[in-house]
Amino acid sequence: LKCSWRRSPAPFECTASELEEIAPLLLSSGAAALCWWRIKHSNSQLTSRSAETLHQAYRANTLQAALHQRTIEQAINILHSGGIEPVLVKGWAIARLYPEQGLRPYGDIDLCVRPREFADAGNALKNMPEQYKVDLHSGFEKFGGGCFDEVYSRTELIRVGETDVRVLSAEDHLRILSIHMLREGAWRPLWLCDVAVAVESRSEGFDWNHCLGRNRRWANWVSCALRLARELLGADISDTPAARDLKPLPRWLVPAILKEWGSLSPSMRQRHSAPMANYFYYPSGVLAGFRNRWPNPIEATISVKGSFNGLPRFPFQLGSYLARSAKFASRLPKFIRERTVSSKQ
């Protein structure tokens, strides 16, 4: 995936047998089209079943992007009719920075609204077709926080089809992409490609004070994400604050990411596909459910609002695990009541 987001990516050096081995990982991570982009621009293009599979992923992404665009327009227009102005983050907002739409797949459509408008926005979107899921967020808390009005004041309008869609400023979007990638345990290499394309596409007037904010923790997190993009993917982060950080990355960090990237079934993906509440119906899998919820070192660091440094991660992981367990336990009585009522009906 090195420099795969660029219009003229680095030459692709891989044999047909090696591609056969890594293709399943590329497909499961959403990065298949980016690998095909490098093959396409290579002097010695690979012709194999795996290469064609990656090409098919690119074609599918291109078709899906057109469908997603209509869904985005529909969701935005519904909210506009209710006097609500959402902000589109991630997904299409970052995919538009890649050379072609088919290079960056996206599933959920992430929209952030003012906290006081969250309930009304949810009600307004209930009647939307479920062809694509709209993931509604109250403010920007899930993406690292920040005063909604302050972040909103820096947004810009982008034309999507026949609709004006509000997106984040380049500064705020890079911060959100970085924090989101780390908060999710960095299990998808595609997210680090997003960070790379965002930092390389910034304009000359990019304001690092707005990106990093007044929060030293945010600055540490964003710097860590940028340095990872350089270390693992060859991103150009020159003339950024991260480039002036001469401290080496924590020794545990890169191995933790590569472990996630080398798995066809990362624990984070399994966790999202099977919420703990499901195990009340399938108790035989409860032990696996608890095991999958042990956070990796990256996710745990963000969860407990720690810094990326050389300290051992086990205390961070334990603290994150206990906090999540306590949160689940607090919701358990309500779930049991709702399940009892449902079974009686």
Side-chain angles (χ1 to χ4, degrees), residues 171-183:
E171 293 86 353
D172 291 318
H173 209 197
L174 177 57
R175 183 182 67 254
I176 278 180
L177 291 168
S178 300
I179 294 176
H180 170 264
M181 184 267 297
L182 296 170
R183 185 182 65 83

Side-chain angles (χ1 to χ4, degrees), residues 52-245:
E52 180 56 28
T53 300
L54 302 182
H55 192 185
Q56 290 291 356
Y58 164 79
R59 293 188 182 112
N61 291 348
T62 303
L63 293 173
Q64 294 291 337
L67 296 174
H68 272 86
Q69 179 174 309
R70 290 203 295 268
T71 306
I72 290 171
E73 289 190 76
Q74 184 179 12
I76 297 293
N77 288 328
I78 288 174
L79 293 176
H80 281 174
S81 66
I84 299 170
E85 182 72 16
V87 180
L88 179 69
V89 301
K90 303 194 296 110
W92 181 90
I94 186 63
R96 68 191 177 94
L97 300 182
Y98 284 81
E100 294 187 8
Q101 282 190 325
L103 297 180
R104 207 289 187 188
Y106 49 98
D108 295 349
I109 296 168
D110 291 280
L111 297 176
C112 297
V113 297
R114 287 183 171 82
R116 66 175 180 269
E117 297 175 336
F118 181 72
D120 290 338
N123 290 330
L125 294 174
K126 280 182 178 178
N127 295 325
M128 271 196 68
E130 296 185 0
Q131 185 176 9
Y132 292 105
K133 180 183 176 184
V134 175
D135 202 355
L136 199 62
H137 306 283
S138 176
F140 302 104
E141 187 63 32
K142 181 179 178 180
F143 303 108
C147 172
F148 187 94
D149 289 335
E150 182 179 342
V151 173
Y152 184 88
S153 68
R154 295 192 290 266
T155 58
E156 56 182 313
L157 289 174
I158 299 292
R159 197 70 173 172
V160 180
E162 301 298 321
T163 304
D164 287 329
V165 176
R166 192 168 293 278
V167 298
L168 293 169
S169 68
E171 293 86 353
D172 291 318
H173 209 197
L174 177 57
R175 183 182 67 254
I176 278 180
L177 291 168
S178 300
I179 294 176
H180 170 264
M181 184 267 297
L182 296 170
R183 185 182 65 83
E184 294 292 320
W187 68 266
R188 292 189 83 187
L190 184 66
W191 293 331
L192 194 57
C193 291
D194 289 345
V195 172
V197 75
V199 72
E200 288 194 359
S201 64
R202 72 190 190 281
S203 64
E204 291 185 3
F206 190 93
D207 191 329
W208 284 103
N209 289 327
H210 285 158
C211 178
L212 303 179
R214 296 178 292 273
N215 190 314
R216 293 180 62 184
R217 189 181 300 114
W218 284 359
N220 173 261
W221 293 350
V222 174
S223 175
C224 178
L226 295 180
R227 293 168 69 199
L228 281 170
R230 178 182 60 187
E231 177 86 9
L232 292 173
L233 301 178
D236 180 7
I237 65 168
S238 57
D239 298 325
T240 73
R244 298 191 290 271
D245 189 346

